[in-house]
Every structure is written in structure tokens, then in C-alpha cells.
């Protein structure tokens, strides 16, 4: 993969003002998110003496709101102005973080969960709005390249983010780390003012109230009528089950299977992030040569095999190699999912489709995040990871019948 090929694939996107703004906003959000993730993980681990239940609760409070509010957030995203929705969500996230900071200063450490909880709720209104604006401002033929560039940025923070969070916590403590989160969310909201203003939509207050539940039902019906979106929902549920287990128990792979201190987790994720960056760049180059459903299936296959291997491995080099393979597959999963939703959904249903499908993934992830700590107490770690890998493989098999399907735009033109 040459630098020239990457530049050619993404050059026109970088000249898009909307895309520039979304990337800059995401940089700020990633800083806040990674400081939050690792500072809180290290803090809770220290405060509870590595209690599995307390650690799994971090993931639970992050993903439960996604399951509960995704349907509502997706429906409102199709009704509200997406630009203003994103700005307000970032402002409110910053406000909630500063409230948590105040409570921490007075000694109530359990309130640290609230920052993650509120931010997760607001993301259910903001994320569908991003997807809706992407559909509006980026041409159809550039969607997969846009998602690949976006994923590459996330991969960079997979490399830098863990160290950023750990260093912030170890050098400055949890209070300063929480303050960094708040400032990052606040700056993201300011940056989003660069996005072109939303189009005015006339809706009477009565119409908004009367049609909300009808539009919510239409979102479910839209997904059910589409064989592609329906199969994607099944894949989401199975993949969410596997990811919920592996993500929650990753710290115990480091502690028990590798015999390393908890800080070693940042190096495992750095390897994963380097691979994500390479994988994202590769997908950006080959975006027009591979269908998103095949891309997603390949990513799931790589993740399932590496998940089983990580559970079995007790050697650091082998685990890092498997994490690298998993990292190569992760961008394929994320890019494939995003592209499929955008290509097989009309603009007016983007928010609701996202709101229906996300809980399929996140709902199972929430359940397994909460259950994973209990599973760890009763079953061997190796067995849990092998089962998770098998579940991920089943999700890949659901996509095989979709390989011959064409995007919605191509169908309409035909």
C-alpha cells in the first residue's frame, strides 16, 4: 500500500469542509474518551482492589444507556436538526463531567460511573445525527473511503489513547483526568459550529407529538422488510455477545494468562491500534474493489479466530501477534457495518435504522458485560474466550447469503 494511493483515495474528502470538521471534532472526542476509559479503569481497579464486578460495571454503565435510549435517539435524530443535536450533546456531556468532578473533590468516588453513563446517553442522540449528515454531505461513491479514513483516525488513538489515559491518571490523578475529559467535550462542541447550518423543517408541536410513535414503528418495519438490514441485526447480536465477553475480561488475560501487571494492557491495545491503522488504510485503498458485506464477514472471521487464540495463549509474543490480527479485522467490521447501513438505507430513515440495529449489538454487549464478571468466577478464562470466538464465527455465517445483494441506490437505478 503506497502513500500515493492513500492520498489519492482520501484527497477529495479532505477538501470537504464538513468532513474536515467531523474529523477535528472526533480528535477532541477521542482524547476525552480514552482519558475517560483508562483513567476510570485504573482508578476503579485501585479503589476496589481489582474486583471483577466493579470493573465489569464500567462497561455496563457505558453500554446500558445505548440499549435503552438508542431507539428513542435514532427516531429523534430523524426529526431534529442534526447539527444542533450534536452541538448540544457535546455541551451537555461536558457539563455532566464537570459535575462529576465537583463530587469527586468531595470524596464520592462512586460518582465516577456517572460521567460514563451520561455521556453514553447523549451519544445515542449525537451518533445517528453524524450518520445522517454523512449521508447528506458525502457522495455515495466516497462513503466507504470516508468510513475508512474515520476508522484510521480511531486506530491512531487506539495506539496513543491507552498511554494517554494511563499517564494522565498516574501523573495527575483522577481529578485532572476528569477535567481533561470535560474540556475535550466542550471544545468538540465549539468546533461543530463550522458545519453548515441545518435546513429548516416546519413541524407543528402537535405533529411532533402525534407522529413520534408512528415513526418509531416505521423504523422497525423498515429494518424488517430489508433482508440485508435484518441479517445485519442478527450479526450485530452475535458479535455483541462475543465482544462484550472479550472486552470486559481483557484485563484478566493480562493479569492471569500473561502474568503481567494491569498497566501492560495499554501495550496490548497499542499493538491492536497499530494494526487497526494499517487495516483502515488498506480498506481505504481497496474500498471500491470489495463489497462491504464481504469486508464485514472477513473482519468477523479474523476476530473470531484471534479471540480463540488469545484465550489459549500464555505467551506474550503470541498474544501480541493475535491482537495484531484482531486489529487488522476491526476496521473491516466497523467500516463494513457503517457502509452497509448508509448504502441500504434512505436518508429519512438513517437515524431510526441506526437506532434499531445498534441495540442488537449493544444490548447483547451490555448483558455480557454485566455477566462476564460472574462467568469469570465460575468458568475458566480459556473456555469463555473459545465460546466467544465461536459466537463471533456464527455471526459471520449470517452474512454469507448477502454477498450477492446490491446497494439500495443501484437497485433504484436498475
Amino acid at each position: 500500500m503506497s502513500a500515493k494511493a492513500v492520498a489519492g483515495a482520501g484527497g477529495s474528502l479532505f477538501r470537504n469542509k464538513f468532513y474536515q470538521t467531523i474529523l477535528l471534532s472526533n480528535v477532541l472526542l477521542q482524547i476525552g474518551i480514552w482519558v475517560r476509559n483508562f483513567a476510570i479503569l485504573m482508578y476503579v481497579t485501585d479503589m476496589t482492589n481489582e474486583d471483577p464486578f466493579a470493573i465489569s460495571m464500567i462497561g455496563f454503565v457505558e453500554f446500558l444507556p445505548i440499549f435503552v435510549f438508542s431507539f428513542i435517539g435514532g427516531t429523534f435524530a430523524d426529526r431534529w436538526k442534526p447539527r444542533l443535536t450534536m452541538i448540544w450533546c457535546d455541551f451537555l456531556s461536558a457539563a455532566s463531567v464537570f459535575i462529576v468532578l465537583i463530587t469527586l473533590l468531595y470524596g464520592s468516588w462512586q460518582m465516577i460511573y456517572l460521567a460514563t453513563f451520561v455521556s453514553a446517553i447523549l451519544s445515542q442522540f449525537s451518533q445517528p445525527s453524524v450518520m445522517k449528515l454523512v449521508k447528506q454531505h458525502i457522495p455515495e461513491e466516497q462513503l466507504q473511503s470516508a468510513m475508512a479514513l474515520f476508522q484510521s483516525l480511531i486506530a491512531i488513538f487506539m495506539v496513543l489513547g491507552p498511554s494517554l489515559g494511563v499517564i494522565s491518571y498516574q501523573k495527575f490523578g483522577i481529578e485532572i483526568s476528569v477535567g481533561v475529559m470535560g474540556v475535550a467535550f466542550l471544545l468538540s462542541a465549539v468546533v461543530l459550529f463550522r458545519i453548515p447550518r441545518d435546513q429548516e423543517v416546519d413541524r407543528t408541536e402537535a405533529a411532533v407529538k402525534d407522529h413520534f410513535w408512528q415513526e418509531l414503528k416505521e423504523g422497525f418495519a423498515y429494518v424488517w422488510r430489508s433482508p440485508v438490514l435484518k441479517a445485519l441485526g442478527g450479526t450485530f447480536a452475535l458479535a455483541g455477545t462475543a465482544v462484550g465477553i472479550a472486552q470486559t475480561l481483557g484485563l484478566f488475560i493480562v493479569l492471569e494468562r500473561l502474568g503481567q501487571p494491569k498497566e501492560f494492557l495499554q501495550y496490548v491495545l497499542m499493538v491492536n491500534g497499530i494494526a487497526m491503522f494499517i487495516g483502515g488504510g488498506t480498506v481505504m485503498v481497496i474500498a471500491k474493489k470489495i463489497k462491504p458485506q464481504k469486508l464485514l464477514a472477513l473482519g468477523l472471521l479474523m476476530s473470531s479466530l484471534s479471540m480463540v487464540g488469545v484465550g489459549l495463549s500464555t505467551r506474550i509474543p503470541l498474544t501480541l501477534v493475535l491482537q495484531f490480527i484482531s486489529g487488522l479485522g476491526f476496521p473491516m467490521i466497523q467500516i463494513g457495518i457503517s457502509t452497509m447501513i448508509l448504502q441500504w438505507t434512505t436518508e429519512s430513515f438513517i437515524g431510526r435504522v441506526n437506532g434499531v440495529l445498534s441495540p442488537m449489538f449493544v444490548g447483547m454487549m451490555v448483558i455480557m458485560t454485566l455477566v462476564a464478571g460472574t462467568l469469570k468466577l465460575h468458568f475458566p478464562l480459556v473456555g469463555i474466550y473459545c465460546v466467544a470466538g465461536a459466537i463471533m464465527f456464527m455471526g459471520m455465517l449470517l452474512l454469507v447469503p448477502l454477498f450477492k445483494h446490491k446497494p439500495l441506490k443501484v437497485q433504484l437505478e436498475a
Side-chain angles (χ1 to χ4, degrees):
M1 180 180 64
S2 67
K4 183 177 180 180
V6 174
S12 59
L13 282 171
F14 284 126
R15 292 193 291 270
N16 186 317
K17 181 180 178 180
F18 163 77
Y19 197 67
Q20 292 172 356
T21 303
I22 288 296
L23 287 178
L24 180 56
S25 170
N26 191 254
V27 167
L28 295 167
L29 290 177
Q30 288 294 315
I31 291 173
I33 288 169
W34 279 103
V35 170
R36 179 193 72 190
N37 288 350
F38 268 77
I40 290 178
L41 177 62
M42 298 294 111
Y43 181 65
V44 171
T45 301
D46 288 342
M47 295 297 292
T48 64
N49 194 27
E50 301 180 359
D51 179 56
F53 180 76
I55 293 172
S56 67
M57 278 296 293
I58 298 173
F60 181 71
V61 299
E62 178 180 357
F63 296 115
L64 177 63
I66 302 177
F67 178 65
V68 175
F69 288 93
S70 184
F71 304 106
I72 299 173
T75 303
F76 275 116
D78 284 335
R79 301 166 65 84
W80 290 347
K81 297 178 179 179
R83 172 179 174 270
L84 284 180
T85 299
M86 293 164 60
I87 291 172
W88 273 108
C89 285
D90 284 352
F91 270 130
L92 292 174
S93 292
S96 69
V97 168
F98 290 126
I99 291 173
V100 169
L101 178 58
I102 294 173
T103 62
L104 279 176
L105 294 175
Y106 286 92
S108 180
W109 76 266
Q110 290 86 351
M111 287 294 290
I112 196 68
Y113 290 110
L114 182 63
T116 301
F117 184 74
V118 174
S119 177
I121 292 176
L122 293 171
S123 71
Q124 298 320 295
F125 295 87
S126 178
Q127 183 180 355
S129 297
V130 175
M131 297 284 282
K132 195 173 183 70
L133 288 174
V134 166
K135 183 81 170 179
Q136 290 178 4
H137 294 282
I138 295 180
E140 183 86 13
E141 63 274 10
Q142 292 184 341
L143 285 178
Q144 192 150 296
S145 294
M147 293 297 103
L149 282 168
F150 198 75
Q151 190 62 47
S152 295
L153 176 62
I154 294 176
I156 293 174
F157 278 94
M158 281 289 291
V159 178
L160 302 177
S163 296
L164 184 64
V166 171
I167 291 172
S168 177
Y169 174 68
Q170 291 180 338
K171 296 292 184 181
F172 305 108
I174 191 63
E175 291 86 0
I176 297 296
S177 299
V178 171
V180 170
M181 291 161 47
V183 172
F185 290 141
L186 186 62
L187 291 176
S188 174
V190 173
V191 166
L192 290 173
F193 278 100
R194 294 183 71 243
I195 295 177
R197 289 183 177 275
D198 297 307
Q199 297 177 353
E200 293 293 333
V201 178
D202 294 329
R203 284 181 181 268
T204 64
E205 186 173 338
V208 170
K209 182 177 180 180
D210 293 342
H211 295 301
F212 173 80
W213 295 109
Q214 178 61 32
E215 292 183 6
L216 182 61
K217 293 176 183 178
E218 289 174 355
F220 283 96
Y222 187 92
V223 172
W224 186 255
R225 289 194 304 267
S226 170
V228 173
L229 296 177
K230 190 162 54 175
L232 193 58
T235 298
F236 267 37
L238 292 170
T241 301
V243 171
I245 296 172
Q247 183 170 288
T248 305
L249 300 180
L251 181 62
F252 295 99
I253 289 290
V254 170
L255 296 174
E256 297 181 12
R257 299 297 293 172
L258 302 182
Q260 298 296 312
K262 63 181 183 296
E263 287 80 10
F264 188 77
L265 181 61
Q266 64 178 307
Y267 302 112
V268 174
L269 292 181
M270 283 176 66
V271 170
N272 193 270
I274 292 171
M276 284 177 59
F277 180 72
I278 296 173
T282 302
V283 173
M284 185 172 61
V285 174
I286 65 173
K288 295 182 179 180
K289 300 178 181 179
I290 183 170
K291 294 180 179 179
Q293 56 268 49
K294 292 184 177 180
L295 189 69
L296 175 56
L298 178 59
L300 290 171
L301 177 61
M302 295 171 66
S303 294
S304 67
L305 296 177
S306 61
M307 199 174 288
V308 172
V310 167
L312 294 171
S313 173
T314 57
R315 297 184 178 183
I316 293 177
L318 177 58
T319 298
L320 293 180
V321 169
L322 291 167
Q323 284 291 338
F324 187 85
I325 295 173
S326 177
L328 289 175
F330 189 78
M332 299 178 186
I333 296 174
Q334 294 295 323
I335 296 164
I337 287 172
S338 300
T339 306
M340 287 181 70
I341 291 176
L342 290 171
Q343 287 189 347
W344 271 275
T345 308
T346 58
E347 183 185 324
S348 60
F349 277 88
I350 287 288
R352 280 167 285 179
V353 169
N354 193 77
V356 170
L357 291 181
S358 291
M360 302 295 181
F361 180 85
V362 177
M364 295 309 300
M365 183 185 289
V366 168
I367 294 171
M368 298 316 299
T369 296
L370 186 61
V371 172
T374 304
L375 291 176
K376 169 67 176 60
L377 297 175
H378 296 90
F379 298 97
L381 197 59
V382 174
I384 294 174
Y385 263 74
C386 288
V387 171
I391 294 172
M392 181 76 81
F393 185 79
M394 291 170 59
M396 183 273 294
L397 293 179
L398 288 179
L399 294 171
V400 176
L402 305 182
F403 287 173
K404 295 182 179 180
H405 282 255
K406 297 181 179 179
L408 184 61
K409 182 180 179 181
V410 176
Q411 295 177 35
L412 292 174
E413 289 176 351

